[in-house]
Amino acid sequence: MKTECSDLEWTLRCDLAACYRLIALHGWDDLVFTHISARIPETDHHFLINPYGMMFEEITASSLVKVDMTGQPIGPSAYPVNPAGFVIHSAIHAARDDVICVLHTHTTAGVAVAAQTQGLLAISQQASVILPMLAYHDYEGLAVRDDEKRRLQTNLGSKQAMILRNHGLLTVGSSMAAAFLLMFTLERACQIQIAAQAGGSSLETIRRHILEGTEVAVTKATGGMDASVLVWPALLRRLNRLNPGYDQ
């Protein structure tokens, strides 16, 4: 496969396969379900998605399926594409040219928070980072109908993260690294919320003026750098130690 695609596409394939394996490594996968997609910038809305039937921990750069905006594979593949994955991801890729990666999970903590009327609460530092960029989408059943695409697009708008009520979590980014770091932060915020609620005590909410200053504080804490650029190489080193071979 490496000799059959551009250098840009191959790099994207390696990052996407790494992202799938990192999701599995963190225990956020759901057998062969949920999805991560990557749009190939040099094409007319072609994107890469997981081969439906492979575990996330075994996905490689070469095994990823390239599809067009109608869901039709481009080139041969031994695996189909998850219809629900196609509806959600094609909707967002069609509406957001700034988005390269769309990441969607069904974690226990994520779905638990997605089932709560108030959604994500401002009770943790992680939540304070995510809340300004967080949207919500109401549950409409399994995402297999094309008419849901418009509502997904409208509800996400220009945000970078979304809670799919009764369903799970979704993040987008201009790179695989950006989408993964956002998901890590959103997932951790959900885990903290469920743990805090299980403690049985009343919860302390972060004051509004502190929430409003979070973006400036994050910029200061990272020295103005994109935090995902700091994290991604370290994640790949960890993956190479624990589950190498994603870049095949």
Side-chain angles (χ1 to χ4, degrees):
M1 177 61 71
K2 185 175 183 179
T3 61
E4 299 173 10
C5 63
S6 67
D7 291 343
L8 175 61
E9 180 179 331
W10 182 251
T11 298
L12 202 58
R13 281 177 173 272
C14 290
D15 277 349
L16 181 54
C19 195
Y20 272 106
R21 293 199 184 196
L22 286 166
I23 293 295
L25 190 63
H26 284 81
W28 303 341
D29 51 344
D30 185 13
L31 296 179
V32 301
F33 307 104
T34 78
H35 354 272
I36 315 166
S37 63
R39 181 173 59 83
I40 306 171
E42 61 191 10
T43 63
D44 184 19
H45 282 93
H46 295 166
F47 61 94
L48 302 167
I49 201 164
N50 54 310
Y52 197 22
M54 288 187 73
M55 301 292 282
F56 283 17
E57 66 192 32
E58 60 185 353
I59 289 176
T60 64
S62 296
S63 68
L64 292 161
V65 182
K66 181 160 59 174
V67 297
D68 62 22
M69 288 302 290
T70 69
Q72 295 302 309
I74 299 170
S77 174
Y79 291 87
V81 172
N82 184 340
F86 175 73
V87 167
I88 293 171
H89 291 252
S90 63
I92 295 170
H93 284 297
R96 293 280 298 272
D97 286 338
D98 61 311
V99 168
I100 294 296
C101 178
V102 179
L103 206 167
H104 171 45
T105 62
H106 295 161
T107 63
T108 301
V111 178
V113 171
Q116 297 184 4
T117 302
Q118 291 181 292
L120 187 66
L121 303 176
I123 61 170
S124 69
Q125 181 167 273
Q126 289 80 358
S128 74
V129 172
I130 285 291
L131 283 169
M133 59 184 79
L134 183 63
Y136 290 85
H137 176 70
D138 287 340
Y139 188 61
E140 300 186 23
L142 293 177
V144 294
R145 301 189 314 276
D146 282 343
D147 66 291
E148 188 176 357
K149 289 183 179 182
R150 178 179 55 82
R151 292 181 290 279
L152 282 162
Q153 294 165 342
T154 299
N155 290 333
L156 181 62
S158 60
K159 302 286 189 178
Q160 289 80 46
M162 186 157 67
I163 290 180
L164 305 171
R165 293 193 183 274
N166 308 103
H167 184 173
L169 308 178
L170 183 143
T171 59
V172 303
S174 59
S175 67
M176 211 70 56
F180 183 87
L181 182 57
L182 283 177
M183 182 58 75
F184 182 90
T185 308
L186 178 55
E187 172 64 23
R188 185 58 59 85
C190 290
Q191 291 173 356
I192 291 169
Q193 179 166 321
I194 297 304
Q197 290 170 328
S201 298
S202 58
L203 302 178
E204 182 74 17
T205 300
I206 298 173
R207 288 167 288 177
R208 180 176 294 276
H209 77 277
I210 295 177
L211 288 174
E212 291 173 349
T214 298
E215 185 175 353
V216 173
V218 168
T219 300
K220 185 175 181 180
T222 59
M225 291 183 62
D226 179 350
S228 64
V229 175
L230 295 172
V231 172
W232 190 248
L235 286 168
L236 294 184
R237 290 194 301 271
R238 185 183 186 200
L239 189 59
N240 280 322
R241 289 193 302 270
L242 300 177
N243 187 10
Y246 62 88
D247 53 351
Q248 301 302 309

